């Protein structure tokens, strides 16, 4: 089963320790308004609220007079409302920026990508949730990850939670114009988050490689990403200077493994947990993956080894209060992601999957409630 | 030692069996002249002369009325004279094309990249040999490899032999706008060429990973490329349908390994063989690498195993007539590639390398004269 895809790459990529120090130089040519365009020549830096008050870090952002920093809360996943609000505020106060920079984790990456598009496309972002619905290219946008694992730095989607759907703005113009991958920036991520987020690339590489829609290109990226995850989470101490360098490449390659594949069962279940319980994506993946030995076999054993090796603290009994209504609601969200099931089980997936099987997985999470379970 | 680089990716990539069948669809939006530009709306297909007369293949090229096919001889590596001539001919007869497509091996890829730039930059290509000397973006250009291994499909250089230098037109605009990687297209490559060309990616991945300028990004790509080369050249029969799929990804990843590294000793010697004896690049690499056990150790043993496993026919006694003058001339070419020596041996390379050591390597090639030796 061959997927025909013609994927758009991030235009320019800068990888390496210290590369954030060159970011001012990289932005410089993009500060001038393009001829005939009413751009103000200012840059907007969307920064993870985690850095609020961290002057040592903030002073490294190459901010010039007229630029602004907007802190992004990442307590919840990005919403269509949040994007529309940011867009309306910036346009009303300042007009169109010359460019937009997201500095943070996967959520901030997605906010930057979505906002870049919504600054030039009229109406609410709700109407653009889906594939190729965006009408015009967005403004110049850059991603500077400070946590690694989601692959959002290379993906062509900006996932938004809307009033009805949790679905991405997905098109060639979503892809970043520039990414700066500086392993120094992920050194200070708290340990639990470092683990959950890294597991996102491990899990979607597993899903990419085990399903029906993969090809050799996707396999190569998945395999290398998995190998690097094993180094980081099973063989190295986090204090090893190679650890952050590996993780950043693993995230990048894990993201590219999805160019010719799909996520699978774990992401479908995780979407249910996210939509109904507002559970964070990467954490939800860990909770779900832990129960999927019937689908992902030895990979789940390996994952459990990683949890153990890194002494990750995952709250116990997390899910003990889920009602059957909650479980049914999550199963409904998960069931309605046919492209994931099709990838995981093939075109006849309905012969092996029904809502009851999905509920069964959720019930297992309820009884153990943690990735240590 | 960290390299700061901000590399430009190929804009769009289509990988997979049968993807060449979608090429008409891919080209369609690029046939119309951009507003305000005097483009004729026609496409030029530069096709490896190997396909001349092969109607079955030629009929698959999505040629429309007004388009033209130009066959490219690959008997010699691309020259500045050839590029200038093609440019002058096309502009005089037809004006500026809407786009340019290279269909062939590394030489044809380089001709397409260079010609795309020279159609919009005045004067001779000789004056642009070097880094970032090109003044204006070229026209839309696509690469469709029909032989895999050089990595020219992803690199930011178009190597040209000029009256004085063998040096690339190297800048962000050199990089392809579109590549189509269809493993079906490399199935009919003659066995010797399939081997030599594939060894280009094996050898430059070895050089990338063993030198001083690599970083973790380059290592990841080199390692995966080497692993896939081992599958193709040591473990699989060429008749295995995975073989061509692996080789095409290995070439792509081998090319990307050079984004954060450099080639080394073998390529320096190979440039001497190319410049002085007009030996084909990939073949010259094999001849040189075979003698470099003192630098590349076990990799050379592995390479010899690949030669043996694939029963490659390499002419014997090839170099028995090299004079000392020839050897000196080649050593001079090789010695004058300091970035390769710096990468291979570090900034103090002159302490371990002089012209005599280089001549020694060439003399070893003379005495055995083949990669079987």
């Amino acid at each position: 089963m061959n997927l025909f895809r013609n994927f758009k790459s991030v235009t320019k990529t800068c990888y390496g320790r210290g590369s954030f120090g060159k970011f001012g130089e990289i932005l410089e040519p993009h500060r001038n308004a393009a001829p005939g365009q009413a751009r103000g020549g200012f840059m907007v830096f969307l920064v993870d609220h985690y850095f609020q008050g961290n002057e040592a870090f903030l002073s490294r952002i190459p901010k010039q007079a007229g630029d602004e920093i907007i802190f992004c809360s990442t307590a919840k996943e990005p919403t269509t409302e949040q994007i529309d609000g940011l867009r309306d505020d910036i346009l009303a106060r300042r007009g169109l920026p010359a460019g937009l920079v997201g500095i943070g984790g996967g959520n901030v990456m997605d906010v930057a990508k979505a906002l870049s598009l919504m600054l030039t496309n009229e109406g609410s972002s709700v109407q653009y949730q889906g594939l190729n619905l965006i009408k015009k290219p967005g403004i110049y946008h850059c991603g500077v990850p400070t946590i690694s694992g989601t692959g959002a730095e290379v993906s062509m989607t900006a996932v938004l939670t809307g009033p009805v759907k949790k679905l991405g703005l997905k098109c060639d113009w979503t892809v970043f114009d520039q990414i700066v991958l500086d392993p120094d920036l992920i050194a200070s991520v708290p340990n639990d988050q470092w683990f959950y987020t890294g597991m996102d690339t491990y899990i979607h590489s597993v899903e990419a490689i085990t399903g029906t829609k993969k090809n050799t290109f996707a396999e190569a990226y998945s395999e290398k990403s998995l190998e690097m995850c094993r180094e980081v989470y099973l063989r190295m101490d986090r204090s090893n200077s190679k650890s952050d360098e590996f993780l950043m490449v693993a995230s990048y390659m894990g993201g590219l493994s999805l160019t010719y594949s799909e996520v699978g069962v774990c992401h479908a279940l995780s979407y249910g947990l996210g939509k109904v319980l507002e559970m964070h994506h990467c954490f939800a993946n860990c909770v779900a993956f832990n129960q999927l030995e019937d689908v992902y076999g030895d990979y789940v054993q390996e994952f459990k080894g990683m949890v153990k090796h890194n002494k990750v603290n995952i709250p116990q009994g997390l899910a003990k209060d889920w009602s059957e209504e909650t479980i049914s609601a999550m199963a409904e969200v998960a069931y309605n992601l046919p492209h994931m099931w099709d990838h995981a089980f093939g075109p006849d997936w309905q012969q092996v999957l029904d809502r009851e099987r999905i509920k069964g997985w959720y019930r297992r999470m309820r009884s153990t409630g943690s990735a240590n379970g």
Side-chain angles (χ1 to χ4, degrees), chain A residues 2-7 208 212-219 221 255-262 343:
Chain A
N2 268 316
L3 278 179
F4 170 69
R5 283 190 188 158
N6 189 16
F7 74 90
T212 60
K213 293 194 191 298
K214 63 176 178 174
N215 66 13
T216 302
F217 190 93
E219 279 175 326
Y221 274 108
L256 290 172
S257 76
L258 295 175
T259 46
Y260 284 104
S261 195
E262 286 287 348
H343 169 60

Side-chain angles (χ1 to χ4, degrees), chain A residues 75-239:
Chain A
K76 291 188 180 182
E77 315 246 314
T79 63
T80 49
E81 202 184 345
Q82 176 190 12
I83 299 299
D84 296 349
L86 279 166
R87 186 261 319 264
D88 294 344
D89 169 60
I90 293 169
L91 289 183
R93 285 191 299 106
R94 305 287 311 272
L96 202 59
L100 202 60
V101 179
I103 302 177
N107 282 351
V108 178
M109 295 298 108
D110 278 1
V111 171
K113 291 193 282 186
L115 186 53
S116 151
L117 295 168
M118 292 312 300
L119 280 162
T120 55
N121 286 273
E122 290 78 25
S124 167
S125 51
V126 175
Q127 71 198 79
Y128 301 111
Q129 285 184 283
L131 180 63
N132 291 335
L133 301 176
I134 289 284
K135 306 286 178 216
K136 300 174 202 168
I139 68 168
Y140 176 78
H141 55 304
C142 310
V144 183
T146 61
I147 311 177
S148 280
T150 65
E153 62 274 27
V154 289
S155 80
M156 65 176 286
T157 189
V159 181
L160 298 181
T161 303
V164 183
K165 296 177 281 195
K166 181 177 176 185
L167 194 62
L169 311 187
K170 192 169 180 180
C171 69
D172 286 351
W173 295 316
T174 310
V175 180
F176 281 118
D177 296 299
Q178 172 78 57
I179 55 175
V180 175
L181 305 176
D182 184 342
D184 287 345
L185 298 185
I186 64 171
S188 63
V189 176
N191 224 53
D192 282 8
Q193 233 183 319
W194 165 81
F195 184 82
Y196 306 143
T197 312
M199 284 302 105
D200 195 10
T201 202
Y202 177 80
I203 292 168
H204 68 232
S205 295
V206 168
E207 291 176 299
I209 211 169
T210 51
T212 60
K213 293 194 191 298
K214 63 176 178 174
N215 66 13
T216 302
F217 190 93
E219 279 175 326
Y221 274 108
S222 300
E223 285 164 1
K224 191 67 196 173
S225 177
L226 289 175
E227 201 183 305
M228 300 185 92
C229 286
R230 286 178 192 121
E231 289 295 324
V232 171
Y233 291 108
L234 285 175
R235 293 183 203 130
M236 280 178 185
D237 271 349
R238 202 183 157 190
S239 59

Side-chain angles (χ1 to χ4, degrees), chain A residues 77 166 196 200 203 266-267 269-275 277-292 303 318 322 362 365 371:
Chain A
E77 315 246 314
K166 181 177 176 185
Y196 306 143
D200 195 10
I203 292 168
C266 183
H267 271 71
L269 299 182
S270 173
Y271 269 45
L273 295 165
K275 181 76 183 155
L277 299 174
E278 298 191 348
M279 200 182 279
H280 262 244
H281 177 68
C282 299
F283 179 69
N285 279 346
C286 290
V287 169
F289 197 70
N290 202 40
Q291 305 299 339
L292 286 170
F303 166 80
L318 173 85
W322 294 353
Y362 283 121
M365 296 173 213

